[in-house]
Amino acid sequence: MQPVYADIKRMTDEGNVAAALRLVDSSLAKRGDDAYLYYLKGKIHMKTSDWREAANCFLRSKALDAAGPATEALMLLENIMDFYNKEMYNH
């Protein structure tokens, strides 16, 4: 694992999502085709409940590496979104 990945994961796990997002964005500016960076960015957005951006990041990651962790993350996100389906409360 590259040191930048570990730093982003640590910051995200510690709740320092603003710093993690800055680091992932600066890293993507240098390596915009890094699927794992997009995956980590999606995890940051999940941490802040920004489901749309999380999905966009996971989709981008999956497009770059279909065998990477973004595929499973997308399934998890779909389960979360199904749980929060507001129409369920109207029945």
Side-chain angles (χ1 to χ4, degrees):
M1 178 186 303
Q2 294 184 8
V4 71
Y5 296 162
D7 290 342
I8 294 166
K9 287 179 75 170
R10 180 184 44 77
M11 288 178 203
T12 303
D13 292 343
E14 292 173 352
N16 193 355
V17 293
L21 192 56
R22 282 191 301 274
L23 181 55
V24 79
D25 283 339
S26 68
S27 298
L28 280 169
K30 298 172 192 167
R31 297 187 315 246
D33 62 344
D34 189 319
Y36 199 72
L37 285 174
Y38 279 104
Y39 165 74
L40 291 174
K41 187 172 182 177
K43 297 281 283 184
I44 294 167
H45 286 298
M46 280 189 71
K47 187 91 167 178
T48 62
S49 301
D50 188 348
W51 312 122
R52 182 179 306 170
E53 283 303 314
N56 287 337
C57 292
F58 292 147
L59 287 169
R60 178 73 173 135
S61 177
K62 185 177 176 181
L64 292 167
D65 179 12
T71 300
E72 185 175 333
L74 274 169
M75 288 189 297
L76 174 65
L77 185 56
E78 287 174 8
N79 288 336
I80 291 170
M81 296 309 297
D82 286 344
F83 178 78
Y84 285 109
N85 184 350
K86 304 298 186 224
E87 291 190 20
M88 287 175 45
Y89 300 115
N90 293 329
H91 288 50

